[in-house]
Amino acid sequence: KSWISYLGPRNRGRRADKPITPDLGIIAVMKESVTLNLLGEPLVVEGKAEIELQRGLNLIGLPVRDQRIRRPSDLFSLPEFDKSVTALIVAAGSDFKVLARAGDSGDFELTGAEALIVIAKTNAVIVLKGKGWTTDTSVSVD
């Protein structure tokens, strides 16, 4: 429901310095390439996970590997997503691409390590079905 900038050590102990929780997304702007090793378990209950969208900008990840969703644009095949979302913004190298439907340029194969910016016109809950991603947990950030 809010966007907060954490600008390194000078922000320690302030509003942006908080524990990582299921409803917290992170966008990192790096000075140089690094590799992050992320460990954790997806929030899955009986093979289902939810993404709660708020009207406006949302930063989401896909907590489970849902067989219906192989590319970001496949999210538009889910009725709750399609009727609630205006656009999906994805990183494509050092650029950002806007997807509004399947086939738009910038679409790519998902690996489970992506963060997606969603512009929602209404609040919505998107239910995903599947298991947690089993890909390498190392993420290269440029």
Side-chain angles (χ1 to χ4, degrees):
K1 296 181 183 177
S2 64
W3 296 76
I4 304 168
S5 296
Y6 181 87
L7 303 172
R10 67 178 177 231
N11 286 117
R12 285 211 172 106
R14 296 195 174 178
R15 183 173 175 233
D17 190 16
K18 57 189 344 184
I20 296 174
T21 59
D23 63 343
L24 179 70
I26 299 171
I27 296 175
V29 178
M30 308 301 295
K31 292 179 185 177
E32 57 189 58
S33 295
V34 298
T35 299
L36 302 174
N37 291 312
L38 305 173
L39 301 174
E41 297 294 325
L43 296 172
V44 179
V45 177
E46 296 179 9
K48 295 181 182 174
E50 293 182 348
I51 297 172
E52 185 176 335
L53 299 177
Q54 302 294 321
R55 186 174 182 267
L57 290 174
N58 297 265
L59 177 64
I60 68 166
L62 300 176
V64 295
R65 184 177 202 143
D66 188 317
Q67 294 303 310
R68 301 170 296 172
I69 305 165
R70 299 195 186 275
R71 305 171 77 72
S73 65
D74 291 342
L75 286 162
F76 288 103
S77 69
L78 304 176
E80 306 87 7
F81 192 90
D82 188 48
K83 72 180 180 185
S84 303
V85 172
T86 304
L88 177 62
I89 302 170
V90 298
S94 60
D95 296 328
F96 288 92
K97 303 278 184 174
V98 176
L99 301 175
R101 63 186 173 279
D104 284 349
S105 69
D107 214 2
F108 59 91
E109 193 76 20
L110 291 165
T111 67
E114 297 82 14
L116 307 169
I117 300 171
V118 174
I119 303 170
K121 56 187 171 190
T122 62
N123 294 352
V125 175
I126 312 303
V127 178
L128 301 176
K129 301 171 188 170
K131 295 184 179 181
W133 292 88
T134 57
T135 59
D136 183 353
T137 57
S138 297
V139 178
S140 292
V141 181
D142 293 323

